[in-house]
Amino acid sequence: MIQRIQSLYLLLAAAAGAAALSFDLWKATLSNSTNPVYVNASSNYLLFVLYIIIILLSLATIFLFKKRKLQFRLTIFNILFGFAALAYQYYVVQQTANKLSTGGVAIVSASYLPASFLPIVIIILLFLAVRGIYKDEKLIKSLDRLR
């Protein structure tokens, strides 16, 4: 189970999801305040749920090593959740910036923090896991032909 490379990729994807969930994603410094404004995944309910789904689905698919087709499908769905989390994360940041701007507060500087790029890492790791699952399935089919 753990000796398979796709299990390692799935475990790393779950760890990256947990890191994206716990760290701040965006920071803005306002003109009238010394305290910066942060956006994190825990402050938005839907974004929090998306990251929890990514983490749990990644961990659950590790233990489906005997059911490779189901593992393949669930990892594909997890990639879709990764894209959804990426898109929604940047939507939440944009909405926060718009709320601050329309509230009469000037944003002096704003920047994405390194944790905001973790959904891209998650998608890449899940893609590599899908590739590994596909190679395993192909190897098993070729061995079945030889019998």
Side-chain angles (χ1 to χ4, degrees):
M1 159 176 68
I2 290 295
Q3 66 269 22
R4 298 167 65 218
I5 191 70
Q6 56 267 30
S7 298
L8 181 64
Y9 290 143
L10 289 167
L11 188 63
L12 288 173
L21 190 62
S22 60
F23 293 119
D24 293 326
L25 304 171
W26 185 71
K27 174 186 168 185
T29 307
L30 305 177
S31 63
N32 62 354
S33 176
T34 58
N35 296 332
V37 174
Y38 291 100
V39 172
N40 56 17
S42 302
S43 64
N44 188 299
Y45 182 72
L46 182 59
L47 195 56
F48 179 78
V49 169
L50 277 172
Y51 279 121
I52 292 294
I53 288 172
I54 289 170
I55 293 167
L56 293 178
L57 202 54
S58 294
L59 291 175
T61 53
I62 291 173
F63 299 106
L64 294 174
F65 58 93
K66 290 186 179 181
K67 300 175 184 177
R68 284 173 302 280
K69 290 182 183 180
L70 179 62
Q71 189 181 34
F72 184 82
R73 285 189 204 120
L74 288 178
T75 308
I76 293 293
F77 281 129
N78 209 0
I79 290 172
L80 295 176
F81 284 126
F83 278 118
L86 178 68
Y88 191 67
Q89 171 182 309
Y90 290 110
Y91 174 76
V92 167
V93 167
Q94 188 63 39
Q95 289 301 317
T96 304
N98 287 344
K99 282 182 188 176
L100 291 172
S101 297
T102 58
V105 178
I107 298 174
V108 175
S109 68
S111 63
Y112 286 102
L113 299 174
S116 65
F117 300 105
L118 284 174
I120 298 168
V121 173
I122 292 170
I123 292 167
I124 291 169
L125 288 169
L126 290 173
F127 176 73
L128 291 172
V130 163
R131 222 173 91 197
I133 296 166
Y134 179 74
K135 284 182 181 178
D136 271 2
E137 185 65 27
K138 195 173 167 185
L139 177 68
I140 296 298
K141 283 184 181 181
S142 71
L143 290 176
D144 285 343
R145 261 188 306 217
L146 293 175
R147 287 184 193 175

